[in-house]
C-alpha cells in the first residue's frame, strides 16, 4: 500500500530527529545567541523512546517507506543509537538507513552502527580550513574530528557523502578544497544553498550563494562539467562530473526548489510528524503512541495526515516572508 498527498507525491522517505541537542552551534542552524545555556531543550521524558520510533517506522513501512534518515540535532549525542538502528533494520529489512551527522563522534560509533545495519552516512563539513570551520560551526576547533569520523565510516564499509552549507562571503573559498580533497576518493560533496529554515538564523537572500555560482566556480577551475542524470526523481541533489571524474552535487533549494518531487516526512524528537521542513505546525503522534493505539491506528493517522498534504514552501518562498513561529531544523530533523 502506498499513500499520496494532494499533489500526487508518495510518502517514501522518513527523517527522524532523535534529539534536538547538538555539540556544535552552526551559525546557520543553532546560533549561539538563541541556543545558549538557557535554551529549553526537550526534556528526556519528552523524547520518543526507541520503541516508539520503531513503531512509527513500522507503521510508515506499511505505506511504502523506502528511506530512513537518522538526524537531529546531532544524532550521535543520543546514547545507544546503534540499538535503534538495529531495531529499525529488523522492522524494515529492505529499507535504506542513513545517518546525517556532523561527524564529531563518528569515529567512536561508525563500526557499531555499520554492524547494526546502517547503510550510509552523510557528514556535514563546511570547510577544511580550521578558521573557516570554527567560524561556521561557532566552535574553537577545526575539522579534525569530523575528518577522522569520515575515515572511520569508510573503514566500517559505510557509503559516505559530505554536505557543505554554503554561506556567501564566509566559506566560498573552501568549496574547491573540499571538492579536491573528496572528489578523487569517490566521495560526493554536496553544496547546499543556505536556507531560511527556522526563525533564529540571520538568513537573507544576500547570504545565499546560488548553486549556479558554485558550478561556475568549479568550471572556472576545472573546465566544463558533465551533468549526471538523476537516478530517482526525489533526489534533492543534482550532480555533476568534472573532467577529472570527480562527482559533486548541488542542493539548490532556494534558487531551484524541488517541492514537486518531495516525498519526505519528518518526525521530531518529541513525536510530531511534519510534512514540510518549513512547517510551523506538526501533527503530534505521542498521544496515539502512549495511548495504546494499535499499529493500524497509527498507520491510519499517518495516511490521513499525508493525504491532506499540499506543502510546497520553497516554490512559494518570498525574500521577506514571515518566519516567527517556524520550527527549527535541529528540532524537526534536517
Ligand atoms: N547535526 C547533523 C549534521 O549537521 O549533519 C544533522 C542535523 S543538521 C540540521 C542536517 C543538515 O542540515 C546538515 O547537513 C546541515 O548542514 C543542514 N542545515 C542546517 N541548517 C541549514 C540551513 N539553514 N540551510 C541549509 N542547510 C542547513
Ligand atoms: Fe548541529 Fe547539525 Fe545544526 Fe550544525 S547543522 S548546529 S551540527 S544540528
Ligand atoms: Fe519538501 Fe517543504 Fe522542502 Fe518543498 S519546502 S522540498 S515541500 S520540505
Amino acid at each position: 500500500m502506498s499513500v499520496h498527498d494532494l499533489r500526487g507525491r508518495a510518502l517514501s522517505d522518513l527523517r527522524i530527529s532523535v534529539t534536538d541537542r547538538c555539540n556544535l552551534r552552526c551559525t546557520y542552524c543553532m546560533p549561539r545567541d538563541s541556543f545558549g545555556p538557557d535554551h529549553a531543550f526537550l526534556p528526556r521524558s519528552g523524547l520518543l523512546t526507541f520503541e516508539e520510533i520503531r513503531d512509527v517506522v513500522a507503521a510508515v513501512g506499511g505505506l511504502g517507506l523506502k528511506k530512513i534518515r537518522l538526524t537531529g540535532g546531532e544524532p550521535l549525542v543520543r546514547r545507544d543509537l546503534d540499538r535503534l538502528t538495529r531495531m529499525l533494520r529488523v522492522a524494515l529489512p529492505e529499507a535504506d538507513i542513513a545517518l546525517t551527522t556532523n561527524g564529531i563522534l563518528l569515529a567512536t560509533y561508525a563500526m557499531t552502527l555499520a554492524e547494526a545495519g546502517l547503510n550510509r552516512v552523510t557528514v556535514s563539513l563546511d570547510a577544511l580550513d580550521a578558521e573557516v570551520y570554527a567560524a561556521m560551526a561557532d566552535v574553537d576547533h577545526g575539522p579534525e574530528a569530523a575528518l577522522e569520523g569520515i575515515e572511520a565510516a569508510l573503514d566500517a564499509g559505510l557509503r559516505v557523502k559530505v554536505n557543505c552549507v554554503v554561506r556567501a562571503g564566509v566559506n566560498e573559498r573552501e568549496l574547491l578544497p573540499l571538492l579536491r580533497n573528496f572528489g578523487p576518493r569517490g566521495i560526493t560533496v554536496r553544496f547546499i544553498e543556505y536556507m531560511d529554515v527556522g526563525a533564529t538564523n540571520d538568513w537573507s537572500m544576500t547570504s545565499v550563494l546560488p548553486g549556479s555560482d558554485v558550478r561556475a566556480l568549479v568550471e572556472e577551475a576545472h573546465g566544463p562539467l558533465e551533468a549526471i542524470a538523476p537516478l530517482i526523481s526525489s533526489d534533492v541533489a543534482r550532480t555533476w562530473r568534472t573532467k577529472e571524474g570527480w562527482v559533486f552535487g548541488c542542493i539548490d533549494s532556494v534558487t531551484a526548489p524541488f517541492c514537486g518531487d518531495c516525498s519526505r516526512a519528518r518526525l521530531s524528537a518529541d513525536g510530531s510528524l511534519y510534512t514540510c521542513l518549513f512547517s510551523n505546525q506538526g501533527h503530534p503522534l505521542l498521544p496515539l503512541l502512549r495511548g495504546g493505539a494499535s499499529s493500524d491506528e497509527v498507520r491510519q493517522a499517518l495516511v490521513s495526515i499525508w493525504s491532506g498534504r499540499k506543502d510546497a514552501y520553497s516554490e512559494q518562498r518570498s525574500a521577506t516572508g514571515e518566519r516567527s513561529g517556524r520550527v527549527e531544523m535541529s528540532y524537526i530533523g534536517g
Side-chain angles (χ1 to χ4, degrees):
M1 176 184 176
S2 58
V3 56
H4 292 82
D5 69 7
L6 294 171
R7 294 180 61 169
R9 299 168 293 189
L11 168 55
S12 62
D13 183 336
L14 182 66
R15 301 192 172 192
I16 303 168
S17 174
V18 295
T19 176
D20 59 339
R21 291 166 196 261
C22 186
N23 45 2
L24 294 184
R25 285 293 178 272
C26 302
T27 50
Y28 49 79
C29 178
M30 295 179 76
R32 211 171 273 281
D33 50 6
S34 300
F35 291 88
D38 298 335
H39 180 74
F41 288 101
L42 294 170
R44 226 192 132 62
S45 59
L47 298 184
L48 287 185
T49 63
F50 288 168
E51 286 71 19
E52 288 163 345
I53 294 175
R54 188 259 330 270
D55 290 349
V56 175
V57 165
V60 192
L63 300 172
L65 182 67
K66 294 188 179 65
K67 281 162 74 175
I68 300 168
R69 181 170 293 279
L70 300 174
T71 178
E74 172 47 42
L76 293 180
V77 303
R78 180 134 179 204
R79 246 185 293 150
D80 302 329
L81 203 67
D82 58 315
R83 188 166 77 80
L84 174 64
T85 307
R86 187 165 281 114
M87 288 164 67
L88 300 183
R89 174 54 67 214
V90 170
L92 282 190
E94 303 300 324
D96 178 41
I97 307 183
L99 169 77
T100 304
T101 171
N102 59 32
I104 307 277
L105 298 171
L106 189 56
T108 309
Y109 296 116
M111 190 58 84
T112 45
L113 287 166
E115 286 166 1
L118 188 73
N119 299 111
R120 301 189 289 123
V121 60
T122 300
V123 179
S124 303
L125 179 65
D126 301 327
L128 290 176
D129 177 86
E131 264 178 46
V132 182
Y133 177 94
M136 289 292 282
D138 196 9
V139 283
D140 58 5
H141 58 82
E144 300 77 17
L147 291 170
E148 276 171 36
I150 290 174
E151 295 308 320
L154 292 169
D155 288 346
L158 293 165
R159 283 180 280 149
V160 177
K161 283 182 188 157
V162 168
N163 270 2
C164 165
V165 174
V166 184
R167 288 195 72 167
V170 184
N171 65 336
E172 279 164 71
R173 65 174 191 272
E174 288 298 300
L175 310 188
L176 289 176
L178 283 165
L179 175 64
R180 289 170 180 155
N181 186 65
F182 293 111
R185 302 188 64 193
I187 299 172
T188 303
V189 183
R190 304 177 328 155
F191 299 109
I192 309 177
E193 287 179 351
Y194 178 26
M195 287 187 283
D196 50 336
V197 67
T200 58
N201 66 24
D202 61 352
W203 185 90
S204 73
M205 203 54 207
T206 54
S207 50
V208 178
L209 186 77
S212 53
D213 288 12
V214 172
R215 282 159 335 250
L217 205 87
V218 178
E219 279 195 311
E220 202 185 319
H222 290 270
L225 299 172
E226 177 200 343
I228 303 173
L231 285 178
I232 339 172
S233 62
S234 61
D235 270 352
V236 292
R238 288 181 300 148
T239 47
W240 280 267
R241 191 179 285 113
T242 67
K243 64 176 178 346
E244 294 87 351
W246 309 339
V247 173
F248 70 96
C250 286
I251 303 183
D252 299 351
S253 23
V254 177
T255 61
F258 34 77
C259 301
D261 293 317
C262 180
S263 55
R264 291 173 291 284
R266 291 179 159 84
L267 183 64
S268 68
D270 59 352
S272 282
L273 195 85
Y274 288 82
T275 54
C276 177
L277 185 53
F278 295 89
S279 309
N280 46 21
Q281 210 155 15
H283 303 264
L285 300 179
L286 210 55
L288 276 178
L289 295 167
R290 297 201 177 160
S294 68
S295 189
D296 257 1
E297 285 167 326
V298 176
R299 186 171 308 119
Q300 273 320 310
L302 295 166
V303 167
S304 129
I305 294 167
W306 192 263
S307 317
R309 174 189 195 237
K310 50 177 191 249
D311 304 284
Y313 172 79
S314 286
E315 289 178 358
Q316 297 143 4
R317 159 187 290 121
S318 76
T320 54
E322 173 61 40
R323 298 181 63 190
S324 62
R326 242 194 240 162
V327 291
E328 297 299 324
M329 199 161 180
S330 51
Y331 162 75
I332 194 179

